[in-house]
Amino acid sequence: MADRRLLMIPGPIEFEPDVLAAMGERTRSHLDPAFVEQFGSALERSRKVFLASSDSQPFVIAGSGTLAMDMAIANLVSEGDAALCVDTGYFSARMADILGRWGARVQSVGGRLGEAPSTDEIVAAIKAHRPKLVTVTHVDTSTGVRTDVESIARIAREHEALVVVDGVCSVGGEVLRQEAWGVDVALTASQKALGTPPGLAVLVASPRAMARAKSKKVASVYLDFAQWLPVMEAYEARKPFYFATPAVNLVAALDVSLGKLLAEGMEARFARHQQMADAFRAAWRAMELKLLPREGLAANTLSAVYYPEGVDLTFPARVQGVVLAGGLHPEARTKYFRVGHMGAVSPNDVVATVSAIERALGRRGEGVSAAHASLLAK
Ligand code: PMP
C-alpha cells in the first residue's frame, strides 16, 4: 500500500496537490514571460502575506531558512556592532552564532528552557548593551515557545535598534504584522506555513533595513542584497534579470501556495491555526501530557509535549499512520516530542493525530474526545 502516513512534523509539512502540481510542470527558462509573471506575483504576494508595507522589499532566494537568517544578518551587521539576541531555544542560538560570525558583539537575553524573557529583562539588556540590532525568534521550533514580537519590536524601535524576526515557524500561521509592528526584516522558508516544498528563503525588508544595508559592503556575493535587489525589482516590474539562476519550479509552486494563503485570508488563516492549536491543547490537557512551553507561551504552529512516565524517545517511531518529530533542544532532547500543526492542517488531521498518539500510548480516547469538543465549540 502507498505510504499514507500523515506528515505532522514542524516542517516540512503536508503540501497541497495544486502546489505540488505546479512544481511538477516542465521547467521554463528563468527568462520566459510566464515565469517572469510567476516570480513577480510571488514577490507581491509575499509582501501581503507578511502584512508588510508597500515600500518594503521582498526577496525570494534559493536556499533554506538558515540562508535567510545568514542573509539578513550579513546585510545589517558590521564588524563590532552590538546586537541583542532574544533567546528562546535552539534557533535563537543559531541566530546568535550567525551574528557572531558576521562580527557582531552579541549579547543574549533569556535562554531558559520553555521560557521567554520578560519585557523588563529585554529593556534592561538593551539599556546595558545598546544594540544596533535586536533579533527575535517568533516561534522557536525547538521549544514551541512563541515570543511577543509586537512588544519586542516596539521596545527595540524606542531604542533605535533594527529588529530582525526569524519567522521560519510562524509566517503564514502565527499573527505577524510586519508593517504595523515595525519589524525591519521578517524571514521564513518555504517548507512550513507557506506550504511549499523546502528550498526557498523568503525575506521582507523595511525601507529602514534597506537603507542600513545600502551603507554596507557584504563579504559574500550570494548573500548581498545589492546583488539581488535589481533582480527582485525587475521581476516585480515583470522584466527578467539574471544574477543567479532562480529555483524556477519552486518559485512557481510558491506563487500558487501564496495565492491560496491570500484566498483564505490572513486573518482567517491566523484564526484557523489558533483553533487547531486549541484543539491540540485540549487533547494534551485531557491526556495529562505536559507542554514544554510555560503556560501562555505555547505557539499555534506546533506543540512540544513531554513524554509521560515510562515513555522514551522511541515513541514517535511507534505512532502509526502519522509522522511526528522528537525533541531538539539540547537540554531536554530525549524528554519530549513535537507535533507540527501549520499550513493546510484540518480538524481531521488533528483528530487523526491525537488518535494515533493515544493508540500508541494505550489510552482510550480522552484526547480525541477533548479535541473533538474543542473543535465543535468553535
Ligand atoms: N528558524 C526556525 C525557527 C526554524 O524552525 C528553522 C527550521 N526548523 C530554521 C530557522 C532553519 O530553517 P532551515 O532548516 O530551513 O534552514
Side-chain angles (χ1 to χ4, degrees):
M1 199 175 89
D3 181 0
R4 293 190 60 205
R5 290 189 306 163
L6 190 61
L7 187 56
M8 294 293 285
I9 65 173
I13 62 163
E14 286 283 339
F15 302 119
E16 301 258 60
D18 45 356
V19 173
L20 295 173
M23 260 213 74
E25 280 185 12
R26 285 186 73 196
T27 302
R28 296 177 194 276
S29 158
H30 54 293
L31 310 178
D32 184 311
F35 176 68
V36 173
E37 176 55 37
Q38 288 166 336
F39 201 169
S41 162
L43 290 164
E44 286 165 2
R45 287 174 168 169
S46 300
R47 201 182 274 114
K48 290 184 183 150
V49 164
F50 283 61
L51 300 173
S53 63
S54 55
D55 56 357
S56 61
Q57 182 57 53
F59 294 89
V60 173
I61 315 275
S64 78
T66 306
L67 180 109
M69 296 163 79
D70 221 8
M71 189 172 202
I73 301 308
N75 284 279
L76 296 179
V77 163
S78 299
E79 189 73 35
D81 283 354
L84 183 74
C85 173
V86 177
D87 181 0
T88 49
Y90 175 93
F91 289 103
S92 311
R94 177 171 298 183
M95 190 63 105
D97 181 17
I98 291 171
L99 283 163
R101 285 170 188 247
W102 285 100
R105 288 184 291 113
V106 192
Q107 176 76 43
S108 290
V109 58
R112 297 181 300 275
L113 183 69
E115 300 273 342
S118 67
T119 45
D120 286 350
E121 283 175 278
I122 294 169
V123 170
I126 289 180
K127 286 190 170 151
H129 195 56
R130 298 256 152 237
K132 284 188 163 178
L133 183 78
V134 174
T135 64
V136 52
T137 315
H138 196 177
V139 172
D140 200 298
T141 322
S142 71
T143 57
V145 168
R146 182 180 57 207
T147 51
D148 179 357
V149 169
E150 184 177 12
S151 299
I152 295 168
R154 190 180 53 243
I155 296 166
R157 289 181 80 88
E158 280 166 11
H159 293 84
E160 279 152 36
L162 293 182
V163 188
V164 172
V165 175
D166 172 352
V168 174
C169 200
S170 79
V171 175
E174 302 282 358
V175 181
L176 175 63
R177 306 183 190 282
Q178 183 163 1
E179 180 178 18
W181 294 356
V183 170
D184 291 294
V185 174
L187 61 92
T188 188
S190 49
Q191 74 271 18
K192 301 205 194 212
L194 294 189
T196 307
L200 289 178
V202 183
L203 303 90
V204 179
S206 71
R208 221 163 64 123
M210 291 308 292
R212 168 86 61 96
K214 220 173 171 180
S215 65
K216 260 221 66 186
K217 180 133 183 54
V218 178
S220 155
V221 173
Y222 193 75
L223 295 179
D224 191 351
F225 279 172
Q227 301 285 350
W228 290 105
L229 184 59
V231 178
M232 303 302 145
E233 286 178 339
Y235 277 91
E236 247 199 292
R238 304 303 192 264
K239 291 185 197 125
F241 189 101
Y242 173 72
F243 158 58
T245 309
V248 171
N249 293 58
L250 276 168
V251 171
L254 179 71
D255 183 41
V256 171
S257 192
L258 296 181
K260 293 169 78 72
L261 262 78
L262 294 170
E264 180 177 9
M266 295 315 294
E267 302 305 324
R269 195 170 172 90
F270 298 149
R272 179 169 56 78
H273 279 79
Q274 173 85 52
Q275 281 164 16
M276 298 307 124
D278 283 346
F280 269 113
R281 285 191 278 263
W284 310 135
R285 257 193 315 277
M287 294 162 76
E288 294 178 353
L289 295 181
K290 195 173 163 307
L291 292 185
L292 190 151
R294 179 167 57 78
E295 183 79 31
L297 296 182
N300 286 340
T301 48
L302 84 154
S303 293
V305 185
Y306 282 112
Y307 295 124
E309 278 285 307
V311 172
D312 69 12
L313 81 172
T314 59
F315 175 72
R318 286 190 281 114
V319 175
Q320 289 186 354
V322 179
V323 185
L324 304 178
L328 180 61
H329 195 289
E331 268 177 54
R333 208 179 54 77
T334 58
K335 297 188 181 136
Y336 70 103
F337 66 103
R338 294 173 301 148
V339 180
H341 29 86
M342 61 190 124
V345 61
S346 71
N348 284 350
D349 299 335
V350 177
V351 171
T353 303
V354 173
S355 169
I357 291 170
E358 287 199 301
R359 281 179 280 130
L361 288 172
R363 302 281 181 93
R364 306 194 67 83
E366 319 84 281
V368 168
S369 179
H372 195 94
S374 168
L375 293 164
L376 273 179
K378 303 293 171 189

